[in-house]
């Protein structure tokens, strides 16, 4: 049998196209930012790193051949971690400038519609878990690539209405919470179906054991195809919930912050109005005093003239 250490250290797939793609993505981002390091770089680097881990680590090797549960973790990284991190790293000013191009402007206006974005994210997730299509990704590497690209693209579209750096394009608090709750509920339903369904994917029932890992998984870990699918369903059911919940709490936190900021702005405006009023009152008093002094001077001059 193969040890866990050997699986963790010897089953990485250093695919040149994936490595070049991740490096190119980072370089393009740095060029777009004029090579000026900013705090947003951290989020982009983390997103790029999660993308690399999802596509070259043992998660990919195990999920591609042996374990549905490992494949599920990979999909969660591609849908719930990578796109949000990449989105929050985008600089608003440069993004607005890019959207001045008519094609991008029209595409953003359509794809950011909440119903369109929600159906894109949820629909893609459900679509690729249809047994025949899922099996096609296991049998054909090119189909598998299409699946992963579709997860990345549609998940980015899904997260855009909530996490876009353009504040004026973000959903307001209540719609954003309903939006995220709906997505979490759809993920929950799919997870429940996968957990309690009989084994659906033939590729995991009789995998091609090209790495000799099957005895370790079946006899050593005692993970059957049925148990593996149940664990995968639980991962979608249980693990994705806290992520959507965290996003809802983040939306609420932003709302409370905006309320506090609005209260501070109102207090500042009232303070400035009061200071302006006091200044105007002081000015009026000074003018009144000067007028009285001028009147008294005129009376004194008139009195002198009469005496003379």
């Amino acid at each position: 049998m193969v040890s866990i250490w050997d699986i963790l250290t010897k089953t990485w797939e250093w695919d040149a196209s994936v490595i070049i793609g991740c490096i190119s993505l980072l370089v393009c981002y740095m060029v777009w930012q004029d090579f000026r390091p900013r705090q947003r770089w951290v989020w982009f680097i983390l997103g790029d790193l999660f993308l690399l881990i999802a596509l070259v680590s043992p998660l990919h090797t195990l999920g591609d051949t042996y374990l549905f549960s490992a494949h599920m973790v990979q999909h969660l990284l591609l849908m719930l971690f990578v796109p949000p991190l990449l989105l929050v790293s985008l600089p608003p000013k440069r993004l607005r400038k890019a959207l001045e191009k008519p094609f991008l402007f029209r595409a953003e206006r359509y794809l950011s519609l909440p119903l369109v974005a929600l159906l894109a994210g949820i629909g893609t997730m459900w679509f690729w878990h249809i047994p025949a299509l899922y099996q096609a990704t296991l049998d054909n590497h090119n189909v598998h690539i299409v699946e992963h690209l579709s997860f990345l693209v549609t998940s980015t579209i899904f997260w855009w209405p909530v996490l876009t750096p353009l504040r004026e394009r973000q959903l307001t608090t209540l719609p954003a919470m309903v939006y995220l709750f709906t997505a979490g509920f759809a993920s929950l339903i799919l997870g429940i179906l996968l957990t309690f369904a009989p084994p659906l994917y033939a590729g995991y029932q009789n995998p091609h054991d090209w790495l000799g890992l099957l005895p370790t998984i079946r006899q050593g870990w005692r993970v059957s195809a049925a148990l593996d699918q149940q664990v995968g369903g639980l991962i979608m059911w249980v693990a994705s919930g806290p992520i959507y919940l965290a996003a809802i709490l983040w939306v609420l936190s932003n709302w409370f912050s905006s309320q506090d900021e609005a209260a501070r702005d109102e207090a500042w405006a009232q303070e400035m109005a009061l200071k302006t009023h006091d200044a105007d009152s002081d000015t009026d008093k000074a003018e009144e005093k000067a007028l009285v002094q001028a009147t008294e001077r005129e009376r004194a001059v008139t009195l002198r003239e009469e005496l003379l």
Side-chain angles (χ1 to χ4, degrees):
M1 293 188 183
V2 181
S3 67
I4 295 178
W5 176 253
D6 285 337
I7 292 175
L8 293 177
T9 57
K10 297 179 180 180
T11 57
W12 290 71
E13 292 188 28
W14 299 106
D15 190 308
S17 63
V18 173
I19 297 171
I20 293 172
C22 289
I23 293 174
S24 299
L25 196 63
L26 179 60
V27 171
C28 289
Y29 179 79
M30 293 168 65
V31 170
W32 195 36
Q33 293 274 55
D34 296 328
F35 291 96
R36 296 177 182 176
R38 293 178 175 86
Q39 185 177 0
R40 291 179 181 272
W41 281 38
V42 175
W43 303 120
F44 190 91
I45 292 171
L46 281 175
D48 204 28
L49 184 60
F50 274 125
L51 178 61
L52 182 66
I53 290 173
L55 297 179
V56 304
S57 73
L59 277 177
H60 178 73
T61 304
L62 293 173
D64 199 22
T65 305
Y66 296 98
L67 292 174
F68 173 77
S69 54
H71 211 173
M72 191 59 61
V73 174
Q74 182 190 43
H75 288 174
L76 290 182
L77 288 176
L78 295 176
M79 293 186 293
L80 301 183
F81 283 85
V82 175
L85 288 169
L86 296 184
L87 280 177
V88 298
S89 73
L90 298 177
K93 290 183 179 180
R94 294 184 182 272
L95 192 57
R96 285 193 180 90
K97 187 175 181 181
L99 290 176
E100 290 176 359
K101 297 179 180 179
F103 168 75
L104 292 178
F105 177 82
R106 288 193 296 269
E108 190 276 337
R109 281 296 183 271
Y110 174 73
L111 294 175
S112 64
L113 293 173
L115 184 59
V116 173
L118 185 63
L119 290 177
I122 294 175
T124 302
M125 177 178 65
W126 277 74
F127 175 80
W128 284 111
H129 284 89
I130 297 172
L133 294 172
Y134 195 102
Q135 188 59 44
T137 67
L138 300 179
D139 295 336
N140 190 305
H141 183 65
N142 292 329
V143 176
H144 205 169
I145 292 174
V146 171
E147 178 200 36
H148 287 170
L149 288 175
S150 67
F151 279 147
L152 289 170
V153 172
T154 58
S155 295
T156 301
I157 293 171
F158 165 78
W159 286 105
W160 179 269
V162 178
L163 298 177
T164 172
L166 307 180
R167 291 296 181 91
E168 68 277 9
R169 299 295 297 158
Q170 287 182 359
L171 287 172
T172 54
T173 304
L174 184 57
M177 293 173 64
V178 173
Y179 181 89
L180 291 167
F181 176 82
T182 303
F185 184 73
S187 180
L188 170 69
I189 295 300
L190 180 57
I192 290 175
L193 291 176
L194 291 171
T195 300
F196 294 104
L200 298 173
Y201 310 114
Y204 293 119
Q205 297 178 46
N206 299 293
H208 174 59
D209 190 17
W210 63 284
L211 288 176
L213 302 180
L214 199 58
T216 300
I217 295 171
R218 294 287 190 261
Q219 283 81 46
W221 299 349
R222 299 184 181 279
V223 176
S224 63
L227 178 59
D228 175 42
Q229 183 174 300
Q230 290 172 354
V231 172
L234 284 172
I235 289 172
M236 175 171 284
W237 177 2
V238 178
S240 63
I243 297 173
Y244 288 113
L245 178 60
I248 290 173
L249 293 176
W250 178 82
V251 169
L252 278 174
S253 175
N254 279 351
W255 181 76
F256 283 118
S257 298
S258 66
Q259 293 297 106
D260 291 341
E261 186 177 348
R264 287 195 299 269
D265 290 344
E266 184 178 355
W268 180 83
Q270 291 176 351
E271 183 180 353
M272 292 303 296
L274 182 61
K275 288 182 178 179
T276 302
H277 181 267
D278 292 342
D280 290 342
S281 298
D282 293 341
T283 301
D284 292 341
K285 290 179 181 179
E287 291 177 352
E288 184 179 351
K289 183 177 180 181
L291 181 60
V292 170
Q293 290 175 347
T295 303
E296 290 178 350
R297 281 196 299 271
E298 288 178 1
R299 288 178 179 175
V301 170
T302 303
L303 182 61
R304 260 196 321 269
E305 288 177 349
E306 290 177 353
L307 292 174
L308 294 173

